Amino acid sequence: MGNFIFIFINIIIPVFLQIALGYGLHKKFNLNVGTLIKIQFYAFLPSLLFVKIYETELSKETIFTITLYSLILFSILYLVSWLVTKLNKYPAPLAKAFINSVCFYNSGNYCLPIIELLYNDPFALSIQIIITMAQNITSNTIGIFNASSGNQNKMQALVSTLKMPMGYAIALALLLKAMKINMWGPLLSTVSILGEGLVPLALFTLGVQLANVSINFKIPKVYLSNVIRLVLSPMIAYIITLIMGMNGVIAQVMIISAAAPTAVNTALMAIEFDNETEFASHAVFSATVFSAFTVTLVIYLVTSFIQ
């Protein structure tokens, strides 16, 4: 119990204090969440993606293993959430939002600070960065397509997806690494500074957005999403790590990351494309609140029993 309390106080509370700051300042000053979202989508997030991909140093085998794991987890979660929407006969816009709320989690603006606080180890952080990259590639392609296609036809959704800069940032970083091109120092420094600002800005923005949500605890489908995201996802991740023969820090980071709450970006995308914003906002809010306990429990379990 002592370790559980220590994890909660020293790892989880600092994350929630940043969210609370955004919540409180919005209540006082009525901040423009749309502006914060666009700053993230068009400046901070592409910068972080570019820098992490450009600078991360892991073996090709490790990168491949982590990426494969991420794709397997994503595929299973997508299938599970898709089946749930079919069984419950959700309309298309809600089905898209539900799938996003399950499949896309806060691997970056929630997990990166947690992994950094928990391990203070470049290797552990590099693992989380690869997971974050895989998550961002899928969320900024499939996720945006899902959100935009809820109220648009497939061609309009494709155009909306192609307008987003994240995919281009990823492609450019991979190209420069493959060609071993050194980026101009001042430009790399600028992009790095912008990327470092994403974590607090994203948590702050989550707080601002949550302040706009009128809480309704009578939406069962939100809690269904929460259970899959917070409980079933880390269980699936644990099974995958066993099958793939992973252990130690790699397995721990993967399972902890899989326990993260629904990504802020799912609500941001829902707002951007006006697709089931109430459901998306409530899914993010409730998953974030419940994760204070569930993520603490997952951290306690994996650090105690996976060596």
Side-chain angles (χ1 to χ4, degrees):
M1 180 59 72
N3 284 341
F4 182 91
I5 295 173
F6 177 86
I7 291 167
F8 181 78
I9 292 174
N10 293 281
I11 305 299
I12 302 300
I13 285 182
V15 170
F16 277 82
L17 287 177
Q18 294 178 71
I19 296 172
L21 178 62
Y23 186 99
L25 288 180
H26 180 69
K27 287 293 187 182
K28 183 173 180 60
F29 298 113
N30 191 26
L31 303 175
N32 188 322
V33 67
T35 298
L36 291 171
I37 291 169
K38 284 183 168 52
I39 291 172
Q40 285 187 74
F41 269 23
Y42 292 94
F44 286 80
L45 181 54
S47 296
L48 180 68
L49 288 173
F50 178 88
V51 170
K52 295 308 181 185
I53 293 174
Y54 183 75
E55 293 185 340
T56 297
E57 294 295 339
L58 286 175
S59 69
K60 292 180 181 179
E61 293 77 13
T62 302
I63 293 174
F64 175 79
T65 300
I66 297 170
T67 303
L68 178 61
Y69 153 84
S70 298
L71 293 176
I72 292 171
L73 177 62
F74 172 81
S75 300
I76 294 173
L77 290 174
Y78 195 100
L79 177 60
V80 169
S81 55
W82 178 82
L83 286 173
V84 168
T85 65
K86 291 300 180 183
L87 291 173
N88 288 286
K89 298 180 180 179
Y90 292 159
L94 177 59
K96 302 289 187 181
F98 186 92
I99 291 171
N100 276 3
S101 74
V102 169
C103 293
F104 304 115
Y105 50 91
N106 269 328
S107 59
N109 58 8
Y110 188 98
C111 283
L112 280 174
I114 286 177
I115 297 302
E116 188 168 7
L117 288 169
L118 181 62
Y119 292 96
N120 191 27
D121 176 15
F123 178 69
L125 193 60
S126 295
I127 296 167
Q128 183 57 46
I129 288 169
I130 299 301
I131 296 172
T132 301
M133 285 169 12
Q135 264 283 299
N136 277 290
I137 290 171
T138 52
S139 66
N140 291 306
T141 52
I142 298 172
I144 289 175
F145 185 84
N146 270 349
S148 58
S149 63
N151 288 317
Q152 297 178 346
N153 61 44
K154 288 183 170 54
M155 182 55 66
Q156 290 172 321
L158 178 61
V159 171
S160 297
T161 303
L162 292 175
K163 286 181 179 179
M164 293 294 163
M166 286 74 78
Y168 301 108
I170 293 168
L172 179 60
L174 290 173
L175 179 64
L176 292 180
K177 280 180 71 74
M179 299 181 67
K180 298 182 179 180
I181 297 175
N182 293 324
M183 193 173 176
W184 185 45
L187 181 57
L188 181 60
S189 296
T190 301
V191 177
S192 298
I193 293 170
L194 286 171
E196 290 170 0
L198 176 69
V199 170
L201 177 63
L203 291 173
F204 182 89
T205 303
L206 174 57
V208 172
Q209 188 203 342
L210 294 180
N212 286 325
V213 178
S214 60
I215 306 305
N216 181 354
F217 292 102
K218 298 180 180 180
I219 309 179
K221 50 185 169 286
V222 167
Y223 299 111
L224 181 57
S225 164
N226 293 163
V227 169
I228 300 173
R229 171 90 300 281
L230 300 174
V231 180
L232 185 59
S233 177
M235 294 173 66
I236 294 172
Y238 174 65
I239 294 171
I240 296 172
T241 60
L242 287 179
I243 293 173
M244 297 183 70
M246 300 176 186
N247 51 38
V249 173
I250 293 181
Q252 290 177 7
V253 172
M254 287 177 169
I255 297 168
I256 292 169
S257 180
T262 301
V264 184
N265 285 356
T266 62
L268 304 184
M269 288 185 288
I271 294 171
E272 182 76 11
F273 299 109
D274 191 25
N275 181 65
E276 291 291 335
T277 57
E278 182 180 15
F279 168 82
S281 297
H282 280 86
V284 170
F285 182 90
S286 56
T288 303
V289 172
F290 295 146
S291 72
F293 173 77
T294 58
V295 171
T296 304
L297 179 60
V298 169
I299 292 173
Y300 171 75
L301 290 174
V302 300
T303 54
S304 298
F305 298 105
I306 297 179
Q307 303 299 328

